[in-house]
């Protein structure tokens, strides 16, 4: 099948329209009499007819799950071993169609009507590295009645996907992506949402989950997941102190990660990337451990005993609270993998979006050079936990008790003013937002608490093409 060069457009776009005008329109029940394949016969056929697809006249069969077509080839002389009335079958799954429009040829002065050419299907295509792209398939037929029957059937099918949104409130951070997020939204996201018939309202915020939900930071992929109604259950954490709920979140860092963010917040006048780099360098220059106690409840939700033996630290009693204390450079508590540009495998690569557990990653006190080696491992394929000072636990709850009198962090030193500080507020990095707390923090996991738009990375990576699709 020929493919156009504009975007991922599939099928005929302008090409063959003059040829289509000379084609004899086929009725909705037209068929060429070739036997249906076993997969087609196994599902109910909704419609069957003739359309031009690309440069070929095709026998098109719409089933409940799959749209299939084959080119109708000229009959060959009797005895010709190459004789085959039908060409290679191609298909697209009905669930991958997200919009349908009547295709018309519009003149310069026409706005809403013109010569009917056929039907255009808008399709979500799976590409490499978890990417999704929008594509089109043109079904050319000049019969108004014929196209109307097929158009109404496609609309009926699309209305049956109840999980797909009809209206959205878009959370958009105008400062992100070098302040280009607004332009990216109106150029790449909004046109797709309008094409899918989704009403939108834009407000401001940010989204720290995108990379972990979609596998890649790709705006079209995120948009297509929303349009297609792909839903993913996600584990959520609550953060409390002294019995008071502070906030909900997905990941947190205490120690180096919290201090780095606190430093970055003091230099908001810098560009984001420069501010982050400066904060990391300064935090490493003044690297000091936190003296604290950490209590945690190990999870016992392992798939089998072998996995349990591999993942549990030695002598760890699942189901009972464990306590460790000492000097820690960094403490990470993460319910999601936290994929990002500096950690393509994730800050917590051993956890998942909804496996009912959190990763507790602890870096004990060590030399600055060894700690930097640990940080650099996040950007590589090497195991970032393969250091004697790094411990990795799978947990359900965590309580962090910092000791105020011995902490290496001094908020007075980094304060914008030199006003007296009555108590030390320890900085936490929670989903990229600064949370300052003076006492202990209790982090508790709530499995699959919310559902967000996004596909399962395991499903996307393991997905196999079951037919010769576009």
């Amino acid at each position: 099948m020929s493919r156009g060069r504009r975007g991922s457009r599939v099928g005929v776009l302008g090409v063959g329209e003059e040829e289509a005008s000379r084609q004899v329109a086929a009725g909705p029940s037209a068929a060429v009499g070739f036997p249906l394949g076993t997969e087609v016969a196994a599902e109910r056929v909704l419609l069957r007819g003739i359309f031009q697809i690309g440069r070929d006249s095709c026998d098109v069969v719409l089933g409940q799950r799959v749209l299939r077509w084959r080119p109708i080839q000229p009959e060959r002389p009797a005895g010709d071993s190459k004789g085959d009335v039908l060409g290679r079958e191609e298909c697209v799954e009905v669930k991958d169609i997200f919009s349908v429009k009547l295709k018309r040829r519009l003149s310069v002065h026409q706005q809403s009507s013109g010569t009917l050419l056929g039907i255009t299907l808008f399709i979500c295509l799976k590409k490499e590295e978890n990417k999704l792209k929008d594509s089109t398939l043109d079904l050319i037929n000049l019969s108004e009645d014929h196209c109307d029957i097929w158009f109404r059937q496609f609309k009926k099918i699309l209305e049956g996907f109840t999980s797909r949104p009809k209206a959205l409130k878009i959370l958009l951070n105008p400062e992100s992506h070098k302040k280009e997020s607004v332009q990216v939204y109106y150029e790449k996201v909004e046109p797709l949402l309008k094409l899918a018939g989704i009403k939108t309202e834009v407000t401001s915020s940010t989204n720290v989950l995108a990379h972990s939900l979609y596998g890649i930071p790709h705006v079209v992929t995120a948009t297509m997941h929303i349009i297609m109604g792909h839903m993913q259950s996600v584990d959520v954490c609550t953060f409390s102190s002294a019995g008071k709920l502070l906030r909900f979140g997905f990941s947190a860092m205490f120690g180096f990660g919290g201090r780095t963010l606190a430093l970055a917040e003091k230099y908001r006048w810098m560009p984001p990337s420069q501010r982050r780099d400066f904060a990391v360098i300064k935090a490493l220059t003044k690297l000091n451990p936190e003296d604290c106690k950490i209590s945690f409840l190990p999870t016992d939700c392992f798939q089998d005993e072998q996995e349990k033996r591999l993942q549990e630290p030695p002598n760890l009693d699942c189901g009972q609270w464990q306590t460790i204390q000492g000097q820690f450079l960094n403490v990470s508590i993460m319910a999601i993998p936290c994929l990002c540009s500096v950690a393509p495998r994730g800050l917590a690569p051993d956890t998942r979006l909804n496996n009912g557990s959190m990763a507790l990653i602890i870096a004990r006190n060590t030399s600055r050079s060894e700690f930097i080696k640990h940080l650099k491992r996040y950007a590589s394929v090497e195991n970032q936990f393969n250091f004697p000072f790094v411990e990795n636990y799978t947990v359900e709850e965590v309580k962090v008790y910092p000791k105020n009198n011995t902490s290496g962090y001094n908020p007075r030193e980094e304060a914008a003013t030199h006003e007296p500080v009555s108590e030390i507020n320890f900085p936490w990095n929670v989903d990229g937002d600064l949370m300052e707390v003076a006492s202990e923090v209790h982090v508790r996991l709530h499995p699959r608490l919310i559902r967000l738009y996004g596909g399962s990375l395991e499903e996307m990576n393991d997905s196999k093409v079951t037919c010769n699709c576009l």
Side-chain angles (χ1 to χ4, degrees), residues 161-206:
F161 295 114
T162 56
S163 63
R164 298 183 180 181
K166 305 301 181 185
L168 292 171
K169 183 182 286 286
I170 305 297
L171 306 178
L172 186 64
N173 184 356
E175 298 298 319
S176 68
H177 197 65
K178 300 179 181 179
K179 297 186 177 183
E180 295 176 355
S181 58
V182 175
Q183 180 182 353
V184 170
Y185 170 76
Y186 285 111
E187 288 183 357
K188 296 185 177 181
V189 178
E190 189 182 53
L192 286 173
L193 296 177
K194 285 185 175 181
L195 183 61
I198 299 175
K199 297 179 180 179
T200 60
E201 179 183 350
V202 180
T203 184
S204 298
S205 185
T206 186

Side-chain angles (χ1 to χ4, degrees), residues 155-435:
K155 294 290 287 186
K156 182 179 179 180
I157 290 174
L158 294 179
E159 290 170 359
F161 295 114
T162 56
S163 63
R164 298 183 180 181
K166 305 301 181 185
L168 292 171
K169 183 182 286 286
I170 305 297
L171 306 178
L172 186 64
N173 184 356
E175 298 298 319
S176 68
H177 197 65
K178 300 179 181 179
K179 297 186 177 183
E180 295 176 355
S181 58
V182 175
Q183 180 182 353
V184 170
Y185 170 76
Y186 285 111
E187 288 183 357
K188 296 185 177 181
V189 178
E190 189 182 53
L192 286 173
L193 296 177
K194 285 185 175 181
L195 183 61
I198 299 175
K199 297 179 180 179
T200 60
E201 179 183 350
V202 180
T203 184
S204 298
S205 185
T206 186
N207 183 5
V208 300
L209 279 174
H211 204 151
S212 292
L213 275 170
Y214 309 125
I216 54 172
H218 188 242
V219 65
V220 174
T221 295
T223 306
M224 293 308 302
H225 277 301
I226 295 172
I227 291 172
M228 302 303 291
H230 297 161
M231 298 297 292
Q232 176 70 48
S233 298
V234 180
D235 297 339
V236 181
C237 303
T238 52
F239 296 84
S240 306
S241 182
K244 180 182 178 181
L245 176 65
L246 300 176
R247 60 172 292 166
F248 290 87
F250 305 93
S251 64
M253 287 185 285
F254 173 74
F256 175 79
R259 289 185 210 167
T260 301
L261 180 60
L263 284 167
E265 289 297 306
K266 305 297 181 182
Y267 299 91
R268 297 289 297 181
W269 51 272
M270 291 184 178
S273 59
Q274 182 180 346
R275 181 172 68 241
R276 287 191 297 267
D277 293 343
F278 175 79
V280 169
I281 294 172
K282 190 168 184 179
L284 286 172
T285 302
K286 299 183 178 183
L287 185 64
N288 286 306
E290 295 285 0
D291 188 3
C292 61
K293 179 178 72 173
I294 302 174
S295 297
F296 57 92
L297 181 63
T299 183
D300 56 359
C301 52
F302 295 95
Q303 293 181 354
D304 51 46
E305 289 300 318
Q306 181 180 5
E307 182 183 357
K308 185 174 181 179
R309 288 193 298 271
L310 290 174
Q311 293 200 20
E312 281 185 42
N315 303 319
L316 192 61
D317 185 8
C318 283
Q320 300 294 324
W321 280 91
Q322 309 294 315
T323 300
I324 57 176
Q325 56 186 359
Q327 304 256 322
F328 306 106
L329 289 176
N330 191 67
V331 178
S332 297
I333 306 166
M334 299 183 172
I336 62 176
C338 294
L339 278 69
C340 57
S341 58
V342 297
R345 293 179 59 246
L347 298 175
D350 295 332
T351 192
R352 296 293 181 268
L353 291 171
N354 55 13
N355 63 347
S357 66
M358 299 183 294
L360 171 61
I361 304 166
I362 298 171
R364 291 183 178 268
N365 193 18
T366 188
S367 66
R368 181 182 290 105
S369 61
E370 286 298 300
F371 185 67
I372 291 175
K373 288 180 183 178
H374 163 61
L375 296 180
K376 287 183 176 181
R377 286 275 185 93
Y378 281 98
S380 69
V381 296
E382 297 183 78
N383 184 0
Q384 61 262 46
F385 308 132
N386 191 22
F387 291 91
F389 59 88
V390 178
E391 300 172 16
N392 187 13
Y393 302 91
T394 304
V395 301
E396 297 177 11
E397 292 186 58
V398 180
K399 296 178 182 178
V400 180
Y401 303 88
K403 297 181 180 179
N404 291 11
N405 294 333
T406 58
S407 169
Y409 176 71
N410 185 357
R412 295 177 179 85
E413 182 179 345
E414 301 300 338
T417 65
H418 297 285
E419 297 178 359
V421 180
S422 59
E423 60 181 355
I424 294 177
N425 286 317
F426 294 94
W428 285 73
N429 182 337
V430 180
D431 298 334
D433 295 328
L434 182 63
M435 181 181 78

Side-chain angles (χ1 to χ4, degrees), residues 38 51 61 72 139 144 149 162 184 222 232 291 333 357 452:
T38 55
F51 287 93
V61 179
I72 305 171
L139 306 178
E144 290 273 0
I149 292 173
T162 56
V184 170
Q232 176 70 48
D291 188 3
I333 306 166
S357 66
L452 301 176

Side-chain angles (χ1 to χ4, degrees), residues 19-33:
E19 181 181 347
S21 65
R22 298 191 299 270
Q23 185 182 10
V24 178
S29 60
V32 293

